[in-house]
Amino acid sequence: MSESNPSASSEQCGESEAAASCTDPTRRAVLTALAGCACLAAIEPAAADDEDQPGASERPQKADVLVRAEGDKAGQVIKSDDLKLGGPPIRAWPQDPKSSVVRKGSRLNEVVLVKLDPSELDDATRARAPDGIVCYSVICTHAGCPITAWLKQDQGDKNVLKCLCHNSEYDPRQNAQVVFGPAPRRLAALPLTVADGAITVAAPFVGKVGAQQGG
C-alpha cells in the first residue's frame, strides 16, 4: 500500500527489509506480482465452489428455472417477457429452484432460448415450446463449440442458430435439424412449460447432448 503514496516512501523504507523492497525495483515488482497472485488464489476457489456444489453438474431437471448465462444480467431468472418474438436468443443455465444451485458444473447444461411464431413450428417442436419459446442445447454436435450466432441461413431467408466454428446451421423451427454445414445431427431439445410468465423445465433433454462425430 505504501508504494501508492510517493511522499511516504522515505518513511516506509527505514527498516532493512522494507528498504530492500523499496530500493530494489526488481524485488518490488516480484513482491507486487506475488501479492496479485495471492489475491487471485483467494478469489478462484469461490468460483470453483459455485460449480462444485451438489447438483451443479446434473442435467436439467423437471421444474428447474432458467437463468441468464452471460451479460450484465447473468444469473437473473428469465421470464417469457424477456424474449422478443423472432429473437435474439438468450443463453441460459438451468437452476434448481429449491437450492438455487445453478447447474453450470458441466458445459453440456448450457442452453439457448428463442421465441418464435408458433405457427412456424413443426408439430414435434410446438409440443415442447409453449408460447413459441424453443430451447436447445448450446453445444454444436459437430465439434462441441458453443453456438453463438443468430443469422440468416446460408440457403434461405430465415434466421437460424449458427455455430461459427465450422458454419453448421440449425433450424429451431424444425426440431433444430441441421440445414447447413458438417454437423452430423440436430441439437438436443429441452422441453419447457410457461405459467404466469415463469419459464420452467418440463422434462429432460430430448436427444443426445454434445458432439458426436459421424452422427
Side-chain angles (χ1 to χ4, degrees), residues 17-62:
E17 286 299 322
S21 63
C22 287
T23 56
D24 185 343
T26 301
R27 180 175 178 180
R28 185 169 58 207
V30 170
L31 292 175
T32 301
L34 290 174
C37 291
C39 290
L40 288 175
I43 294 172
E44 286 301 325
D49 288 345
D50 290 342
E51 298 182 1
D52 290 339
Q53 293 184 55
S57 295
E58 292 181 3
R59 292 290 173 266
Q61 307 290 309
K62 184 177 180 179

Side-chain angles (χ1 to χ4, degrees), residues 9-25:
S9 60
S10 60
E11 298 175 6
Q12 298 297 327
C13 293
E15 299 296 328
S16 59
E17 286 299 322
S21 63
C22 287
T23 56
D24 185 343

